[in-house]
Amino acid sequence: MKLVVAVVQDKDSHALAQALIAKGYRATKLASTGGFLRSGNTTFLIGVDDAHVDAVLALIEETCRRRTQLAPPSAMSGETESFAPYPVEVPVGGATVFVLPVDRFVHL
Ligand code: 2BA
């Protein structure tokens, strides 16, 4: 079994949740905040059998779009070389995904 951890943009979270439910995958949605932009995003925890990991990744790819977002100057403040005194556009998404092995899954 694997745990797929997917950080997605809030705008895509409804479509991804619907797609997962439609295919019978179980998931937990967590409200999260990106460390760089410090704006809200959504983190999905999806426990699946190994054989289904690729199908879940395909659903994430289908439902999560790449967009650009304005990073405020404060986001760059820790990096002297890239400091810009004006908002800078950065690409965000489709999704940031980690696939982790699960030692044990217990549903009590
Ligand atoms: P944020 O940390 O708010 O980052 C939003 C976007 O800002 C990133 O999009 C990236 O394009 C850009 N960015 C991040 N750090 C940067 C930096 N030091 N300089 C310039 N641009 C930077 P994504 O890569 O698609 O990431 C979207 C969200 O996924 C992130 O939101 C964060 O919540 C999560 N994430 C990304 N990489 C991660 C990682 N290695 N570990 C944990 N979470 C991660």
Side-chain angles (χ1 to χ4, degrees):
M1 185 178 207
K2 296 283 192 289
L3 180 66
V4 178
V5 179
V7 184
V8 312
Q9 294 169 78
D10 287 343
K11 286 176 182 165
D12 296 320
S13 66
H14 180 71
L16 177 56
Q18 291 299 112
L20 290 168
I21 289 166
K23 297 283 183 184
Y25 295 117
R26 301 175 72 155
T28 296
K29 276 169 68 179
L30 306 175
S32 46
T33 304
F36 183 67
L37 293 179
R38 291 164 214 165
S39 64
N41 52 30
T42 303
T43 299
F44 282 79
L45 305 180
I46 311 158
V48 284
D49 289 333
D50 289 23
H52 290 276
V53 169
D54 287 342
V56 167
L57 295 181
L59 285 182
I60 295 169
E61 195 168 16
E62 279 166 27
T63 52
C64 297
R65 287 179 39 205
R66 190 171 182 81
R67 300 184 181 86
T68 56
Q69 217 169 304
L70 285 178
S74 58
M76 300 288 199
S77 60
E79 302 175 26
T80 314
E81 280 175 28
S82 57
F83 177 79
Y86 44 81
V88 174
E89 275 199 343
V90 292
V92 186
T96 300
V97 183
F98 305 87
V99 180
L100 313 174
V102 174
D103 282 347
R104 191 172 171 195
F105 171 69
V106 183
H107 198 200
L108 300 172

